[in-house]
């Protein structure tokens, strides 16, 4: 009897276990089905996002191509002030289109668009120069400019640069850099250099081969290019279009602009306000912080520049040498807050 009872109990336990296993099957299947549905939804959302990005990219390509052709036609036709003004306006619209599209454009498309803009800007500057009087443009050394310059170090200044505040840029250098109509400073060291708002207004600024200098640019330039600078501090008012740094090291830059691009630059801190995304290429040791430089009249300069002061993408940086999206680029970083206290004066 006991044996029969044990057998019956064992059968009963097996039956209960089977019923419990059967009750778990729907739950497991339901959980698996939920996971499958979630994965399907993720794939669907990813596909939809990709389709939206492709549609945006197609729209950008068509719009950019159309406006680019219109600007080229204006620049290639009969020269007149009216045509150049229209080309300038369309070129600014083209820059804005590119700036507004950086979030979904592939790095290659972004680079191609910027190169096309650079070419058009150079062509526009050339047409402007052709409409100027035939007398060749040259920088002039003015006493009032010289009065603004003071040495910040007792180290001797190179004889070729002594007493020269705005030396003439070699014509071949201007043409090679796409600046046929520019103002700025070159071949100076250990000096404090300044330009007033009326001197830089909508001008192309070129700073090249400077060492241990502090440069203050008040007002609203059209473009700014910093080339071969070493241990310099550059403070600049709002720039209407682009800022470009090349072959610079150990510098501090404060600038507001539509677009910032750095090439072959190292160990440089940038206090930035930018409408689009900054671009770095072949760079290392770059640190970013928000734009904090100020001076009397800067609000008026911002209004004249067309920049939206409420829009600042200083943390959005594209590194053309680092395409991995799931890992941060080692070539740039955010400047810690405790290191952002800079003596601008």
């Amino acid at each position: 009897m006991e044996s029969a009872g044990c057998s019956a109990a064992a059968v009963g336990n097996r039956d209960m276990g089977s019923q419990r296993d059967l009750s778990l099957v729907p739950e497991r299947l339901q959980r698996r089905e939920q996971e499958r549905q979630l994965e399907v939804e993720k794939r669907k959302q990813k596909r939809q996002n990709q389709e939206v990005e492709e549609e945006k990219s197609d729209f950008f390509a068509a719009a950019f191509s159309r406006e680019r052709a219109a600007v080229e036609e204006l620049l290639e036709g009969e020269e007149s002030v009216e045509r150049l003004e229209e080309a300038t306006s369309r070129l600014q619209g083209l820059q804005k289109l590119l700036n507004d599209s950086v979030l979904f454009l592939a790095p290659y498309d972004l680079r191609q668009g910027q190169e096309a803009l650079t070419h058009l800007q150079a062509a526009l500057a050339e047409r402007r120069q052709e409409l100027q009087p035939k007398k060749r443009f040259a920088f002039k050394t003015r006493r009032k400019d010289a009065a603004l310059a003071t040495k910040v170090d007792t180290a001797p200044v190179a004889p070729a640069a002594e007493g020269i505040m705005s030396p003439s840029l070699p014509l071949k250098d201007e043409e090679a850099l796409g600046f046929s109509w520019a103002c700025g400073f070159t071949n100076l060291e250990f000096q404090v250099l300044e330009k007033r708002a009326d001197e830089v207004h909508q001008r192309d600024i070129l700073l090249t081969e400077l060492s241990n200098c502090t440069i203050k640019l008040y007002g609203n330039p059209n473009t700014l290019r910093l080339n071969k600078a070493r241990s310099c501090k550059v403070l600049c008012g709002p720039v209407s279009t682009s800022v470009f740094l090349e072959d610079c090291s150990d510098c501090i830059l404060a600038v507001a602009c539509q677009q910032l691009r750095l090439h072959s630059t190292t160990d440089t801190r940038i206090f930035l306000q930018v409408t689009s995304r900054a671009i770095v290429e072949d760079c290392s040791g770059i640190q970013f912080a928000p734009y904090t430089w100020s001076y009397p009249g800067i609000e008026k300069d911002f209004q004249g520049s067309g920049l939206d002061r409420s829009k600042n993408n200083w943390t959005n940086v594209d590194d053309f040498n680092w395409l991995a999206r799931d890992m941060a680029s080692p070539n740039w970083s955010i400047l810690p807050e405790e290191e952002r206290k800079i003596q601008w004066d």
Side-chain angles (χ1 to χ4, degrees):
M1 292 292 294
E2 290 182 359
S3 176
C6 290
S7 298
V11 170
N13 289 336
R14 283 199 299 271
D15 291 341
M16 292 178 61
S18 299
Q19 292 175 1
R20 185 165 56 249
D21 291 341
L22 289 174
S23 66
L24 291 177
V25 170
E27 181 180 347
R28 291 172 182 172
L29 290 177
Q30 184 178 8
R31 185 167 60 250
R32 186 178 300 174
E33 177 64 16
Q34 289 175 345
E35 292 174 352
R36 189 186 69 81
Q37 290 290 347
L38 184 61
E39 184 64 26
V40 169
E41 187 64 28
K42 285 182 179 179
R43 291 179 181 177
K44 181 180 178 181
Q45 187 63 42
K46 183 178 180 180
R47 185 169 60 254
Q48 289 176 345
N49 292 340
Q50 185 176 356
E51 290 175 353
V52 169
E53 287 191 3
E54 289 175 354
E55 290 177 0
K56 289 181 178 179
S57 297
D58 291 342
F59 172 81
F60 167 82
F64 191 90
S65 178
R66 182 176 61 251
E67 286 302 300
R68 177 182 178 179
V71 174
E72 290 174 342
E73 183 178 353
L74 288 168
L75 295 177
E76 293 172 357
E78 181 182 354
E79 293 180 1
S80 67
V81 174
E82 291 76 16
R83 291 178 69 90
L84 289 187
E85 288 179 351
E86 184 179 351
T88 300
S89 177
R90 282 181 173 270
L91 194 55
Q92 290 175 347
L94 205 56
Q95 179 74 64
K96 185 177 186 302
L97 175 63
L98 182 64
N99 292 343
D100 293 342
S101 306
V102 295
L103 293 177
F104 59 82
L105 285 180
Y108 174 80
D109 294 330
L110 184 61
R111 184 185 305 184
Q112 292 293 104
Q114 187 54 47
E115 288 177 355
L117 278 175
T118 300
H119 175 76
L120 291 174
Q121 288 169 349
L124 178 60
E126 184 178 347
R127 296 298 182 272
R128 283 176 179 169
Q129 180 65 19
E130 291 174 356
L131 283 180
Q132 296 295 319
K134 296 302 181 181
K135 181 179 178 182
R136 176 171 291 182
F137 175 84
F139 292 99
K140 295 181 180 179
T141 303
R142 290 185 273 182
R143 291 181 180 179
K144 56 185 177 182
D145 277 346
L148 290 173
T150 58
K151 294 183 180 180
V152 296
D153 198 286
T154 57
V157 179
E162 187 172 0
I164 299 177
M165 288 305 303
S166 296
S168 297
L169 298 170
L171 185 60
K172 62 179 182 179
D173 287 349
E174 292 183 21
E175 293 174 348
L177 294 173
F179 282 78
S180 58
W181 192 66
C183 68
F185 301 104
T186 186
N187 292 316
L188 294 171
E189 59 181 10
F190 295 103
Q191 294 196 31
V192 174
L193 310 170
E194 293 185 358
K195 280 195 176 293
R196 304 183 307 274
D198 60 328
E199 295 177 292
V200 306
H201 182 67
Q202 285 302 298
R203 301 288 297 277
D204 297 324
I205 308 301
L206 176 59
L207 308 174
T208 181
E209 298 187 38
L210 302 175
S211 177
N212 294 282
C213 291
T214 295
I215 305 99
K216 297 182 180 180
L217 305 171
Y218 301 96
N220 168 218
N222 181 49
T223 63
L224 171 63
R225 181 158 188 155
L226 183 63
N227 188 50
K228 297 181 180 179
R230 302 289 180 266
S231 303
C232 289
K233 182 189 296 184
V234 180
L235 315 177
C236 185
V239 178
S240 291
T241 56
S242 57
V243 174
F244 185 63
L245 276 70
E246 184 169 23
D247 191 16
C248 300
S249 63
D250 299 300
C251 291
I252 297 175
L253 174 70
V255 68
C257 57
Q258 277 194 7
Q259 184 179 34
L260 173 73
R261 183 164 181 173
L262 286 73
H263 185 259
S264 300
T265 294
T266 60
D267 303 322
T268 292
R269 287 176 286 173
I270 300 176
F271 293 79
L272 179 65
Q273 174 155 345
V274 64
T275 305
S276 63
R277 300 170 69 93
I279 296 172
V280 299
E281 186 174 13
D282 298 331
C283 297
S284 64
I286 308 300
Q287 293 182 298
F288 291 95
Y291 183 73
T292 55
W293 190 48
S294 184
Y295 56 85
I298 192 172
E299 293 298 335
K300 181 179 178 181
D301 292 332
F302 263 103
Q303 293 176 2
S305 70
L307 300 179
D308 183 357
R309 193 154 196 191
S310 65
K311 186 176 183 180
N312 191 0
N313 292 315
W314 66 276
T315 59
N316 297 327
V317 181
D318 290 325
D319 185 353
F320 282 172
N321 298 106
W322 189 263
L323 302 181
R325 294 188 175 184
D326 57 338
M327 294 180 62
S329 167
N331 300 317
W332 69 273
S333 62
I334 300 299
L335 184 66
E337 290 192 19
E338 61 272 16
E339 298 180 24
R340 298 178 187 176
K341 297 178 180 179
I342 302 294
Q343 288 294 110
W344 299 124
D345 297 328

